[in-house]
Amino acid sequence: MVENIYTNEYLEALLPKWNAAIQEPDAFMALPLQRDFYARNLKNAKERTVVIISDAMRYEVGKELFRRMQDDPKCTAKLEVQLSVLSVLYPSRHGGAASTRGADDDGRFQGADLTGMPCDNLAEREAVLHKYSKDSTCVQFDNIKSLKVVELRSIFTGKQVVYVYHNQIDARGDKPKYRG
């Protein structure tokens, strides 16, 4: 029933309006583009910046996380909208973002940054990031969520840019071990 309402009422009303809006001459000028994320937010950042990449975070959850981060005097949190596609938060040779995504012949999701570097796993994504920011790292949330402060410091110290991958939300729906 929920799927039926979502598809036949919500999407049926929303998609024609969305399609009409993005065909307007200045449609892609109204919102910042995700492909410009790195250049706009990280390239010239003076302070350590942590980017949280979540697989399916709802706006309301992000807004609550933002509110909690604002309460931390050591944190400067920012919540912004941007027009996005999958996996273009990395730098590119043009100063914008990298990564093109698609499925291979076996249906697996594949990616490569605009310079041809693969970015299918954490190590490959970190290699792309290191090309533009040597003082950077990529970590999985699952690997750091229960670390002590001293252990977290050893990961974050000396890093200008940290990408944290939070793959919990889709996993709860996709993997039986997460189902309650």
Side-chain angles (χ1 to χ4, degrees), residues 3-180:
E3 181 71 22
N4 185 35
I5 291 170
Y6 176 72
T7 302
N8 296 314
E9 293 179 25
Y10 179 73
L11 288 181
E12 190 174 304
L14 178 68
L15 289 179
K17 292 176 184 176
W18 173 257
N19 289 335
I22 65 170
Q23 291 177 21
E24 293 293 322
D26 294 330
F28 294 105
M29 304 301 255
L31 294 175
L33 301 178
Q34 187 177 358
R35 71 176 180 218
D36 300 326
F37 176 84
Y38 183 88
R40 192 176 64 248
N41 295 289
L42 301 173
K43 186 176 182 179
N44 298 312
K46 302 290 185 228
E47 297 177 334
R48 176 183 305 136
T49 304
V50 178
V51 178
I52 301 169
I53 301 171
S54 182
D55 54 351
M57 185 179 290
R58 292 182 49 90
Y59 176 78
E60 295 83 1
V61 175
K63 193 165 182 175
E64 175 63 18
L65 176 60
F66 170 70
R67 187 193 63 71
R68 288 183 184 195
M69 292 173 80
Q70 282 184 307
D71 291 342
D72 184 340
K74 294 180 182 178
C75 180
T76 303
K78 194 163 59 169
L79 181 65
E80 297 177 337
V81 65
Q82 63 186 7
L83 189 59
S84 65
V85 295
L86 295 173
S87 296
V88 289
L89 298 173
Y90 284 89
S92 75
R93 62 179 171 227
H94 305 295
S99 184
T100 55
R101 304 289 286 177
D104 66 11
D105 292 337
D106 296 323
R108 291 184 305 254
F109 212 45
Q110 300 295 311
D113 87 301
L114 295 176
T115 61
M117 294 176 67
C119 57
D120 297 322
N121 58 49
L122 196 67
E124 291 173 349
R125 292 172 189 161
E126 188 169 75
V128 171
L129 194 56
H130 277 170
K131 185 172 180 173
Y132 299 89
S133 175
K134 296 291 182 205
D135 298 330
S136 61
T137 192
C138 296
V139 297
Q140 289 285 352
F141 174 76
D142 283 348
N143 295 340
I144 65 168
K145 68 182 178 184
S146 58
L147 295 180
K148 293 177 175 34
V149 172
V150 172
E151 296 166 317
L152 285 170
R153 280 195 184 124
S154 71
I155 293 170
F156 285 75
T157 298
K159 301 302 181 193
Q160 182 69 21
V161 176
V162 179
Y163 278 32
V164 177
Y165 286 86
H166 179 270
N167 300 319
Q168 299 281 315
I169 298 168
D170 277 348
R172 292 192 188 282
D174 294 343
K175 296 180 181 141
K177 75 175 188 172
Y178 286 110
R179 293 186 187 144

